[in-house]
Amino acid sequence: MLLLGIDVGTSSIKVSIVDADSQQVVASASYPDLENPISTPKPGFAEQDPSMWWHCVQQAILKANATGTYHSKDIAAIGIAYQMHGLVLVDRNEQVLRPSIIWCDSRAVSYGEQAFQKIGTEKALSHLLNSPGNFTAAKLAWVKENEPQVYGSVYQIMLPGDYIAMMLTGSITTSNSALSEGIFWDFQNNAVSEEVMNAFGFPKSVLPKLNPLFSNHGELRSSVADLLGLKAGIPVTYKSGDQPNNALSLNVLEPGEFAATAGTSGVVYAVTDQVAYDPKSRVNTFAHVNHQRNDQTRLGILLCINGTGILNRWVRDQFGSGLTYSQLNQLAATIPAGSEGVRVLPFGNGAERVLENRTVSSTFSGLDFNIHTRSHVFRAAQEGIAFSLKYGMDIMADMGSPAKVVRAGKANMFLSDVFTESFVNVTQTPVELYDTDGAKGAALGAGIGLGYFEAPKEAFTKLTKLATIEPDASKAEQYQEYYAHWQSILEKFLQK
């Protein structure tokens, strides 16, 4: 039996077809070859056209089918992972009303803060485990006030993965995990938050039907099946935000287990069975994929750094035109640890939650035109990303979730020895690298939702560990020195 996983990323769409018995990928494809654009109509805004995602999903599936390594009619279920916190609005005819306001958009910070104060900080944190911040609910409040004609035509609101599922099946559903990432979920009452809906003045009718995360979220339309060479009626049995899905793909399901990913943004994600929150909402707590409303608490504490792979891409585009990422990584590795004094703050991709939703521009400091080269910049950027993750992981440790080991897919920034070794040594935490990614995790999630696997852990019994990178004790002191210098630069900006 085959399973189809779709990963709706910011930069591109990836699909994987996985054999359920072997748990191995038989084909995969990404589309487009270059990165999808992010529209910025105003400073701090970030939007993408949902129809672009749908076009890329179709092209990626057709590209995978063209490999000839499987029979597309043997696919039995579909799973979807997606970029979190985006807002998609549709009318009753399933027509998109405006571009999606995506995860790194900063426009709604003040709306979230107003609701936070209206609900009451203590009540909001104890019930929502987060401030409304810059999440999906606050983005909808921005539309309500600034685009009333659009808001008046809204039939349902969706996250990016819900939109792709709707295009596949015609059904619009959600889950408690999805509602929690939008800051609509009350963890004390195990229901949609009355306080959030009242604070923003939203009718409950705008929210989709609530289904268990691992369940039938709709069946493939005949017209779409014919277009994509699939069997009509196969179900979408799993939908999850990309970070909970990344954790699932790494078999991170139980308290104390950690996952990381470093694509456009960088994330460290810890599973806990304690209802925990950061009083300043610098890291956020959501329902994990295996959280059950009444009898199993599994929450994901999520640290997100917006400026991760996007910074690495920016320095390549500006200082290394024509270089591949592999070549960039090789140049970075020629520079000694610490980048001979060059420091980079990677906060140039919108408001950063870890900095209390402040917009702090990316900063390069310590540059000496007589000493430093582009290779120094490449290394300093990757070290700056690692240092920013260390900054957030210290907050997680203060919440009672210190990392003992972190699991990650060998992809994106973790393909760089400089980044990986910097991360390991500055955090003093081993990293285990696995042969997996979000599209594979989504496919196996579909198998769980279909009932092929009796429990989530059964879907990952054949997960392949590629390497373990241990901290180097001889480098611990110098990395702490580099980090302290980096942190002192950040603190000066935060005091402004």
Side-chain angles (χ1 to χ4, degrees):
M1 184 178 74
L2 299 180
L3 305 165
L4 169 61
I6 302 170
D7 187 2
V8 184
T10 309
S11 299
S12 66
I13 308 297
K14 182 173 183 180
V15 302
S16 287
I17 291 79
V18 174
D19 180 273
D21 291 331
S22 68
Q23 300 175 17
Q24 300 303 308
V25 174
V26 298
S28 63
S30 295
Y31 193 90
D33 294 331
L34 299 175
E35 296 168 339
N36 278 325
I38 296 175
S39 173
T40 54
K42 292 183 180 180
F45 285 26
E47 300 180 347
Q48 288 186 319
D49 182 353
S51 67
M52 176 183 71
W53 303 332
W54 175 232
H55 172 73
C56 293
V57 166
Q58 295 175 77
Q59 294 304 309
I61 293 171
L62 293 171
K63 191 175 175 181
N65 289 350
T67 63
T69 56
Y70 63 94
H71 296 294
S72 60
K73 295 291 179 71
D74 291 340
I75 293 171
I78 301 170
I80 301 171
Y82 56 87
Q83 49 171 294
M84 296 172 72
H85 314 305
L87 175 67
V88 180
L89 305 174
V90 297
D91 63 17
R92 290 184 176 276
N93 297 316
E94 300 181 7
Q95 297 301 304
V96 174
L97 295 168
R98 70 171 327 281
S100 173
I101 303 174
I102 66 170
W103 57 277
C104 55
D105 187 287
S106 303
R107 77 185 73 181
V109 170
S110 63
Y111 293 84
E113 183 59 29
Q114 290 167 19
F116 194 33
Q117 299 304 321
K118 188 172 184 178
I119 294 169
T121 57
E122 184 176 344
K123 187 168 188 178
L125 290 171
S126 62
H127 284 253
L128 308 174
L129 309 187
N130 308 280
S131 77
N134 193 37
F135 296 104
T136 314
K139 291 168 182 170
L140 181 61
W142 183 92
V143 174
K144 181 183 178 186
E145 180 168 315
N146 293 275
E147 299 177 350
Q149 289 184 319
V150 171
Y151 181 80
S153 299
V154 172
Y155 169 57
Q156 300 268 255
I157 72 167
M158 290 180 284
L159 296 163
D162 301 328
Y163 167 78
I164 296 301
M166 180 196 76
M167 296 301 291
L168 289 165
T169 69
S171 298
I172 306 175
T173 67
T174 190
S175 67
N176 60 4
S177 180
L179 290 173
S180 77
E181 75 172 81
I183 318 300
F184 289 106
W185 190 252
D186 185 325
F187 284 90
Q188 298 291 341
N189 296 321
N190 282 320
V192 172
S193 170
E194 299 283 352
E195 285 77 14
V196 167
M197 302 306 281
N198 291 336
F200 287 124
F202 301 151
K204 284 188 179 178
S205 59
V206 301
L207 298 178
K209 175 187 174 185
L210 180 63
N211 278 7
L213 187 143
F214 295 108
S215 70
N216 189 323
H217 291 275
E219 297 171 352
L220 191 65
R221 303 190 234 209
S222 296
S223 58
V224 177
D226 291 343
L227 182 67
L228 300 178
L230 305 177
K231 186 166 58 178
I234 61 174
V236 172
T237 53
Y238 169 80
K239 290 188 299 180
S240 172
D242 52 8
Q243 300 310 326
N245 176 73
N246 181 64
L248 173 72
S249 72
L250 292 160
N251 199 24
V252 170
L253 295 162
E254 299 304 325
E257 296 178 338
F258 276 69
T261 184
T264 303
S265 63
V267 168
V268 178
Y269 186 96
V271 177
T272 180
D273 58 0
Q274 302 300 309
V275 179
Y277 57 86
D278 172 38
K280 296 182 179 180
S281 281
R282 295 166 296 176
V283 297
N284 302 104
T285 304
F286 306 117
H288 194 29
V289 294
N290 56 340
H291 178 73
Q292 296 176 14
R293 292 172 66 176
N294 298 313
D295 55 14
Q296 178 170 275
T297 300
R298 292 292 183 271
L299 305 178
I301 302 173
L302 188 153
L303 156 69
C304 180
I305 303 297
N306 290 354
T308 302
I310 193 170
L311 167 62
N312 205 43
R313 182 186 73 186
W314 188 87
V315 296
R316 185 195 67 168
D317 291 348
Q318 304 308 315
F319 303 110
S321 179
L323 290 179
T324 65
Y325 284 116
S326 177
Q327 290 169 329
L328 181 151
N329 293 337
Q330 290 170 14
L331 288 171
T334 65
I335 304 302
S339 304
E340 297 188 302
V342 182
R343 301 287 179 261
V344 178
L345 301 182
F347 308 118
N349 191 28
E352 290 281 2
R353 280 172 255 159
V354 76
L355 304 180
E356 299 181 55
N357 274 325
R358 299 185 196 184
T359 300
V360 178
S361 299
S362 182
T363 300
F364 293 66
S365 67
L367 284 167
D368 185 321
F369 301 141
N370 299 304
I371 299 172
H372 297 127
T373 67
R374 65 177 183 171
S375 298
H376 288 85
V377 172
F378 296 155
R379 182 175 188 111
Q382 296 193 10
E383 289 180 341
I385 295 164
F387 296 163
S388 67
L389 291 168
K390 154 74 172 171
Y391 183 85
M393 288 173 68
D394 286 348
I395 297 170
M396 299 172 79
D398 289 343
M399 291 174 62
S401 292
K404 295 180 180 178
V405 64
V406 173
R407 299 176 196 166
K410 190 172 175 60
N412 299 316
M413 296 297 296
F414 283 104
L415 292 170
S416 166
D417 291 341
V418 166
F419 169 76
T420 305
E421 291 170 9
S422 298
F423 176 84
V424 165
N425 285 307
V426 76
T427 63
Q428 287 294 289
T429 306
V431 167
E432 296 176 348
L433 296 177
Y434 289 85
D435 182 18
T436 190
D437 61 21
K440 181 180 179 181
L444 291 169
I448 298 167
L450 192 63
Y452 183 85
F453 302 107
E454 290 187 11
K457 280 194 173 294
E458 290 188 8
F460 301 95
T461 56
K462 298 171 183 176
L463 189 62
T464 303
K465 187 197 298 186
L466 300 175
T468 300
I469 297 90
E470 298 280 355
D472 185 337
S474 68
K475 297 180 180 179
E477 186 174 345
Q478 66 177 148
Y479 267 95
Q480 292 310 309
E481 186 179 310
Y482 304 147
Y483 173 70
H485 182 206
W486 178 92
Q487 188 176 15
S488 71
I489 296 168
L490 173 61
E491 293 299 333
K492 289 177 183 176
F493 276 86
L494 296 181
Q495 290 167 10
K496 290 182 178 181

